[in-house]
Amino acid sequence: MNSEELARRNKELTLSSWTAQSAWNPPTAVRAEGVYFYGADGERYLDWASQLINVNLGHGNKTVIKAIQEQAEKLCYVGPSIATEPRARLGELLKQVTPHNLSKTFFTTAGTDAIENAIKIARLYTGKRKIVTRYRSYHGATAAAMTAGGDPRRLANEPGIADIVRIHSADPLRSPIYKGRTRDEGDAIVADLLEQTINFEGPQYIAALLFEGYSGTSGIYQPGPVFWNRVQEICEKYDILLILDEIMSGFGRTGKWFGVNHYPNVKPDIMCLAKAITTGYIPLGAVVVTDTIANHFEDNVLWAGLTYSGHALACATGVATIEYMLEHDIVEKGAEMGKFLREQLEALKERHPAIAEIRGDGLHQIIDLGYPNGEPLSPFNSPLTEPMRKVAAVLKERRLVTWAKWNTIYCCPPLTISKEEILEGIAILDEAISKADPYIS
Ligand SMILES: Cc1ncc(COP(=O)(O)O)c(C=O)c1O
């Protein structure tokens, strides 16, 4: 079957996410290797977003695939009340790689239900209801996770669940909070506003703060250590839990194992994981809690469960992924490639007046396109403007697959990418962004 026929059948028989169906014109994929995937007509795509920022080891990792095959031969699945080797080993590895005293894991099927269960656990443990989150954040697509998020996908789902309170995020480039201030001064005000919000809402009713460990799909708006150190102080002062969503930012994406590793003073009570935990090959999520929280559930019922919690095949995939990462220094190598990517992106910024800012860490970078007066090239939560459409058209034609969303382009390739492959992507971006430059006066 050729690409046209394959795309047509997918469109005719299946529904696509987050889009009016008539606007969905998908590329096809029949095989993939490293940073590339190939369509049914043999066309080659450069995967510049690791699919949904989850295929961190790249496509077709032979070690992980072999582990999947071997586990599938032995045991694919037993119910969550039965003990298995891959489940125990993955618990052990997560305890090893996560920071501070995160020590015990509840397994879910993906990111969104990791968030649902983290909220549940925080409420059960504290006996309190409110959860404080950020406007510029995404935590998943089911009811509680969607309400917890702040990006526009939430709006069609409202009113969602009760007792979610949102605060503003870091945005030194455009937020009025930062106008005329340094980044650190702005971050301090965001933290002050967080504390004020907590006091308005009543700290005695707040179970947890829920933040992405490193900002992701909302535009990589990451506050610095000034904000994060205050978050830790505030959690201790008011006896509020800190839930970190590392679903996108985990497993080496930002040049460290987890986004929070950039702020060593910050001690999450609960961490949510998914995506790259299996390098995307098999769905799996995880909620890792401290020993204090785990101990609470020694004598109190954990009112949570899923048919596929602790899925043996998924856990074995997680084990193979993390062991591979440890054995091959993938986090360190990804950090090196991240530095190289950043240098190349900064050089692009020198050449293109349409680039307002490059943000991110490691292989988690974003290009922000805008006008000299600070306006974005294409406004938030609106259809793409003409210059942005032209940029996106070149990316599509040159088969660089990523998110060109509003005024941003995500640059988040697999951690195994080489310098040559980065330069291939940069050349395509160079050509695409030159379409926007003439609109900048
Ligand atoms: C930070 C974050 N949290 C949660 C989710 C939801 O994860 P999933 O799509 O696996 O349910 C995502 C997905 O993109 C995410 O980026």
Side-chain angles (χ1 to χ4, degrees):
M1 193 177 302
N2 64 25
S3 271
E4 194 184 332
E5 175 67 358
L6 188 53
R8 189 191 61 70
R9 286 184 61 235
N10 274 260
K11 276 178 73 88
E12 195 175 296
L13 299 165
T14 71
L15 290 164
S16 180
S17 342
W18 311 120
T19 182
Q21 302 304 302
S22 62
W24 185 43
N25 295 307
T28 61
V30 292
R31 70 185 179 86
E33 196 179 340
V35 298
Y36 301 103
F37 66 93
Y38 299 83
D41 294 340
E43 62 277 42
R44 190 182 80 159
Y45 295 93
L46 175 55
D47 188 348
W48 200 244
S50 309
Q51 294 306 301
L52 297 189
I53 315 191
N54 55 337
V55 184
N56 279 10
L57 295 183
H59 299 276
N61 181 290
K62 297 260 182 309
T63 310
V64 178
I65 291 169
K66 189 157 176 276
I68 293 172
Q69 288 165 337
E70 284 173 5
Q71 184 63 40
E73 291 284 341
K74 278 191 288 196
L75 176 73
C76 281
Y77 169 78
V78 284
S81 61
I82 297 172
T84 69
E85 172 55 31
R87 173 175 165 170
R89 175 69 182 136
L90 186 54
E92 185 176 50
L93 284 166
L94 290 175
K95 182 174 174 169
Q96 180 186 332
V97 297
T98 55
H100 303 291
N101 58 349
L102 291 169
S103 62
K104 213 165 179 178
T105 299
F106 178 75
F107 288 109
T108 65
T109 59
T112 195
D113 55 340
I115 295 292
E116 296 277 336
N117 282 287
I119 292 175
K120 245 192 218 182
I121 288 171
R123 286 176 170 174
L124 286 169
Y125 173 75
T126 61
K128 300 190 274 181
R129 301 277 316 159
K130 292 190 188 183
I131 308 287
V132 179
T133 70
R134 282 193 285 220
Y135 278 110
R136 286 196 196 266
S137 67
Y138 178 72
H139 295 294
T142 52
M146 183 108 274
T147 315
D151 95 359
R153 285 174 281 187
R154 158 183 62 91
L155 302 175
N157 192 55
E158 295 202 302
I161 67 159
D163 294 323
I164 299 286
V165 177
R166 289 178 210 91
I167 62 156
H168 284 270
S169 306
D171 177 8
L173 188 61
R174 298 198 180 91
S175 161
I177 295 172
Y178 289 78
K179 216 168 197 158
R181 299 193 169 93
T182 64
R183 188 197 158 105
D184 282 355
E185 287 165 353
D187 282 358
I189 294 178
V190 176
D192 286 343
L193 291 172
L194 165 65
E195 185 163 6
Q196 196 177 46
T197 305
I198 287 170
N199 279 303
F200 284 144
E201 293 290 334
Q204 69 275 30
Y205 303 115
I206 299 175
L209 312 184
L210 164 57
F211 297 147
E212 286 161 293
Y214 205 108
S215 164
T217 44
S218 303
I220 312 196
Y221 291 99
Q222 181 70 354
V226 168
F227 172 81
W228 283 105
N229 291 338
R230 281 285 304 289
V231 164
Q232 183 61 34
E233 282 167 29
I234 288 169
C235 285
E236 285 170 18
K237 179 171 170 188
Y238 296 102
D239 198 17
I240 293 171
L241 297 181
L242 178 61
I243 306 173
L244 288 187
D245 176 345
E246 296 272 5
I247 289 163
M248 179 176 282
S249 51
F251 300 99
R253 176 49 55 193
T254 70
K256 296 191 183 286
W257 269 94
F258 300 98
V260 68
N261 292 133
H262 292 277
Y263 320 105
N265 298 337
V266 180
K267 297 183 180 136
D269 300 285
I270 301 177
M271 189 184 269
C272 297
L273 304 169
K275 288 190 184 270
I277 190 171
T278 57
T279 190
Y281 292 5
I282 303 268
L284 180 67
V287 185
V288 195
V289 303
T290 58
D291 39 19
T292 317
I293 295 177
N295 286 342
H296 171 84
F297 291 104
E298 283 298 303
D299 299 316
N300 294 283
V301 176
L302 176 60
W303 293 105
L306 297 158
T307 296
Y308 294 125
S309 180
H311 194 287
L313 188 59
C315 286
T317 314
V319 169
T321 300
I322 298 175
E323 285 180 345
Y324 185 92
M325 290 183 72
L326 291 166
E327 277 164 27
H328 295 84
D329 300 324
I330 294 296
V331 177
E332 294 74 13
K333 286 182 185 155
E336 276 305 302
M337 285 301 126
K339 281 192 197 128
F340 182 73
L341 172 64
R342 182 60 180 249
E343 281 163 21
Q344 299 304 316
L345 292 173
E346 293 293 348
L348 270 191
K349 182 170 180 295
E350 292 297 308
R351 290 202 290 281
H352 293 284
I355 300 183
E357 190 171 68
I358 310 290
R359 294 190 288 273
D361 263 303
L363 286 165
H364 192 62
Q365 303 281 342
I366 201 167
I367 301 171
D368 184 305
L369 300 166
Y371 296 95
N373 68 1
E375 258 181 63
L377 193 69
S378 205
F380 174 74
N381 197 22
S382 301
L384 295 188
T385 54
E386 183 178 289
M388 202 58 204
R389 280 203 306 275
K390 287 190 176 173
V391 171
V394 175
L395 298 179
K396 188 166 182 196
E397 188 191 308
R398 299 288 312 274
R399 297 190 177 134
L400 180 138
V401 175
T402 186
W403 308 333
K405 199 165 84 165
W406 308 322
N407 65 319
T408 57
I409 305 170
Y410 279 76
C411 302
C412 307
L415 307 186
T416 50
I417 195 167
S418 67
K419 286 188 177 172
E420 292 69 33
E421 290 159 342
I422 287 177
L423 292 175
E424 185 186 332
I426 292 289
I428 298 171
L429 288 168
D430 203 4
E431 185 184 330
I433 295 167
S434 65
K435 302 287 176 204
D437 290 334
Y439 292 82
I440 309 296
S441 54

